[in-house]
Amino acid sequence: MAPKTNRNKRQRDRKAEKERLYGELFAPYEPSHPYSLHFVHNATTCDELKMFIDNAQTTTNFVFDTESNYLTNFPSIIQVMFMKQIQENSLVLIIETAHLPVESSYEFLQLKQLFYLIFRRQSHIYTWGALIDELTPFLQFNLFHLPVSSYIHNTQQVFKLWFNDWLAFQSTLNDNDDQDNDDTLIINAPAFDPIIFLHPLAINNIKRSRNESWSIQDATAYILNQYLPKKCTLRQWSIGLDDRILNRTRTFSSTYRKKMISYAANDCTSLAAIITFMYQSHIPSALQCVQYPSDIGEYSFDQEQNGSSLSFQVHWEDITTSDDEDMDYPMAVHDINERHSMEISNAEPYHQQLHDDNVLTIINDSNLLNDNINIKQKIRQRRTVQAQKRRNQKTSIRHRKNRYIYEIIRPVNMSIKLVKNKLKEFGINYLNVNIVRSQLYIGLKSHQDQIEYENLLSMNSFV
């Protein structure tokens, strides 16, 4: 327990240091979209709900986020942004699911109608992460059903591909000495702790090679050059944010509530700003989306051929989709601290090696940093028996690591034998499977397999 406790403390310290550093490097985040904030709960009137419904009928682009209580994980709020033209006012709703109208009321029926309109087939839903994972805990409130028929855009998984393409595009511009192009993104990464703030090329190569996901805070810093605070992530979100809620928890001050409200709204508006930036960049990889039709309930990966429905897009006609079958579309995304480990005798688990606090693990890989960091060559020496054994163990770890370059993660409560039988039933060709603390890790051969099987395996396939 002590090593785990120490590791958690280091992670907390690193997050606190990142908050401090970003706060010093960048101006505080300011929404680029004008918006009006509204709450939905048991004190919301029928007229207010009617206004939200009318707005939903004329909106096709929605940004979603959710928050749950710290420790208990009780699903507490749903944030929805009705994304309009950049110069138009957008609605941002904070739906407080701990304080909903009674299910038999007319207000509750209106709320269900609102979700029905939001999730209609013509809608585009944007999230930072998988929508189905965000919304599944909220099914208990009977506001909507899953799957939905809308076009689903997991901006987090598209961002990594787009950022790579954007850097390549920027490099091409630099090679052509085209310094007057208004689309050029200039990022001057300062010389700070490389664990916290890497050069854009370095962090891009690391995340792609390890299939790590971007946090929305990092994305905001690297492309918007603004600091998006994340200090309110671990909070009790069911306290009742709006003063109109009579049974709200009164031990929290209005200042505390205002900070949480600002945090919840900024999660939507910052994602809207990132989406707008990506689509206006004229990079084809920004056109990706994921759709799961309601009749089969399965994901299908798609690239839109017509962007006319995206009302916030400027200069859409200049963007063309890519038919390159070799494009790298990462589907499975997970945070750096959620990676699993493997037990190998007398050897450190490879996932732990990848994410160890020792910065040398990151910077001493020339393949990752593409010669951005000079590496001191080690002098060859005659190995002892023990050294040879350690070398063989490291080689074994490296081979095992390579089996999980493309992986899918699912919750599991069955034996490894039953898991393998199920995978055979699904017709899934896997390289390796491993179970760590009720989490199943499936190593696959290629990105194409990863995309296909990610769509095939639901979150409940092994529970």
Side-chain angles (χ1 to χ4, degrees):
M1 291 300 292
K4 182 178 180 180
T5 302
N6 293 336
R7 187 164 59 250
N8 291 339
K9 183 180 184 302
R10 289 194 297 269
Q11 292 169 2
R12 290 193 300 270
D13 291 344
R14 186 177 300 168
K15 288 180 180 179
E17 176 63 16
K18 177 185 280 191
E19 294 284 341
R20 184 197 63 78
L21 178 62
Y22 278 13
E24 292 179 357
L25 290 176
F26 305 108
Y29 167 74
E30 289 292 339
S32 57
H33 291 74
Y35 71 93
S36 56
L37 182 65
H38 301 267
F39 296 91
V40 178
H41 44 62
N42 51 27
T44 305
T45 66
C46 292
D47 288 341
E48 288 176 301
L49 289 167
K50 176 65 164 58
M51 187 264 287
F52 304 153
I53 290 171
D54 291 343
N55 270 271
Q57 289 176 330
T58 60
T59 305
T60 56
N61 300 291
F62 302 89
V63 174
F64 262 77
D65 191 32
T66 62
E67 302 293 344
S68 297
N69 278 353
Y70 178 51
L71 296 180
T72 65
N73 289 325
F74 178 79
S76 302
I77 67 170
I78 301 174
Q79 305 106 286
V80 187
M81 180 177 180
F82 294 44
M83 197 170 174
K84 301 287 189 179
Q85 295 269 4
I86 297 176
Q87 66 274 15
E88 292 184 29
N89 190 67
S90 298
L91 290 183
V92 174
L93 302 185
I94 296 181
I95 302 168
E96 304 200 53
T97 53
H99 305 277
L100 290 174
V102 295
E103 198 163 343
S104 58
S105 67
Y106 181 65
E107 290 83 356
F108 189 87
L109 184 62
Q110 284 181 296
L111 187 52
K112 292 187 68 172
Q113 183 184 3
L114 175 62
F115 275 102
Y116 175 80
L117 290 170
I118 291 173
F119 290 139
R120 65 189 185 275
R121 185 174 293 273
Q122 297 86 353
S123 296
H124 292 257
I125 310 297
Y126 295 86
T127 60
W128 193 266
L131 177 73
I132 198 166
D133 293 340
E134 294 276 353
L135 293 185
T136 295
F138 292 85
L139 289 174
Q140 59 184 285
F141 302 112
N142 297 322
L143 295 171
F144 50 81
H145 300 284
L146 292 178
V148 300
S149 57
S150 308
Y151 290 91
I152 310 302
H153 303 255
N154 185 343
T155 312
Q156 184 184 45
Q157 69 185 35
V158 176
F159 181 86
K160 181 163 50 179
L161 172 63
W162 171 86
F163 192 76
N164 181 71
D165 292 346
W166 178 251
L167 290 177
F169 173 63
Q170 180 187 352
S171 176
T172 301
L173 291 178
N174 293 338
D175 290 342
N176 294 333
D177 294 324
D178 186 4
Q179 301 298 327
D180 297 324
N181 192 302
D182 292 335
D183 287 335
T184 302
L185 175 67
I186 300 175
I187 304 176
N188 296 315
F192 285 97
D193 185 346
I195 293 181
I196 298 175
F197 201 101
L198 291 168
H199 185 278
L201 288 172
I203 191 171
N204 175 63
N205 290 329
I206 288 173
K207 287 183 178 295
R208 284 175 58 80
S209 64
R210 297 178 181 174
N211 203 20
E212 292 173 7
S213 57
W214 280 77
S215 71
I216 194 168
Q217 184 184 50
D218 288 342
T220 303
Y222 273 89
I223 70 168
L224 302 181
N225 292 320
Q226 294 183 346
Y227 164 50
L228 181 67
K230 301 298 288 184
K231 297 177 182 178
C232 290
T233 302
L234 305 179
R235 293 290 187 269
Q236 301 302 318
W237 289 95
S238 61
I239 61 175
L241 300 178
D242 191 4
D243 291 340
R244 294 187 298 169
I245 299 176
L246 298 179
N247 61 335
R248 66 186 184 279
T249 306
R250 299 180 182 273
T251 55
F252 297 93
S253 67
S254 59
T255 302
Y256 181 86
R257 281 183 165 83
K258 287 179 181 177
K259 289 182 180 179
M260 295 180 67
I261 292 169
S262 176
Y263 173 94
N266 286 347
D267 267 3
C268 284
T269 59
S270 61
L271 178 52
I274 291 171
I275 293 166
T276 303
F277 191 101
M278 291 171 63
Y279 275 92
Q280 292 178 351
S281 68
H282 305 281
I283 301 296
S285 52
L287 305 182
Q288 291 179 219
C289 72
V290 176
Q291 182 186 24
Y292 45 75
S294 58
D295 54 341
I296 59 174
E298 294 179 352
Y299 284 102
S300 60
F301 203 66
D302 191 18
Q303 281 191 312
E304 294 180 83
Q305 302 299 318
N306 185 353
S308 58
S309 63
L310 295 166
S311 59
F312 59 88
Q313 170 56 25
V314 181
H315 310 307
W316 181 272
E317 64 275 7
D318 295 332
I319 298 181
T320 57
T321 56
S322 172
D323 293 325
D324 187 358
E325 294 181 355
D326 294 328
M327 295 287 278
D328 179 5
Y329 302 122
M331 290 292 290
V333 291
H334 45 272
D335 293 332
I336 188 169
N337 295 320
E338 292 178 355
R339 300 300 299 264
H340 59 291
S341 60
M342 294 182 134
E343 296 298 333
I344 303 177
S345 61
N346 299 323
E348 190 178 12
Y350 78 81
H351 283 103
Q352 182 176 338
Q353 285 185 335
L354 284 177
H355 304 142
D356 195 275
D357 294 334
N358 186 352
V359 67
L360 294 179
T361 306
I362 295 178
I363 68 174
N364 282 350
D365 190 336
S366 59
N367 291 327
L368 294 182
L369 301 189
N370 288 337
D371 299 326
N372 285 325
I373 298 174
N374 293 325
I375 300 175
K376 295 181 179 180
Q377 298 293 330
K378 295 183 178 180
I379 300 175
R380 288 185 173 271
Q381 297 178 352
R382 185 179 299 275
R383 295 185 178 90
T384 64
V385 175
Q386 291 79 7
Q388 183 65 41
K389 184 177 180 181
R390 287 194 299 270
R391 182 176 182 272
N392 292 341
Q393 290 171 340
K394 290 180 179 179
T395 301
S396 178
I397 291 171
R398 187 173 66 253
H399 290 326
R400 294 196 178 204
K401 175 194 69 174
N402 291 336
R403 296 172 194 161
Y404 288 91
I405 293 176
Y406 313 107
E407 69 178 359
I408 294 175
I409 303 175
R410 290 292 184 268
V412 63
N413 64 356
M414 61 179 64
S415 67
I416 196 74
K417 182 177 180 180
L418 291 177
V419 166
K420 291 181 177 180
N421 290 338
K422 274 217 163 190
L423 291 174
K424 289 180 181 178
E425 292 175 6
F426 282 114
I428 292 178
N429 298 318
Y430 59 89
L431 293 178
N432 239 43
V433 292
N434 192 29
I435 296 176
V436 179
R437 299 185 184 91
S438 300
Q439 288 277 75
L440 172 63
Y441 300 87
I442 307 170
L444 303 170
K445 294 181 179 179
S446 66
H447 278 292
Q448 187 60 40
D449 287 348
Q450 189 179 28
I451 294 170
E452 178 183 352
Y453 298 150
E454 182 80 32
N455 301 336
L456 181 63
L457 296 174
S458 72
M459 297 304 293
N460 299 321
S461 295
F462 303 97
V463 296

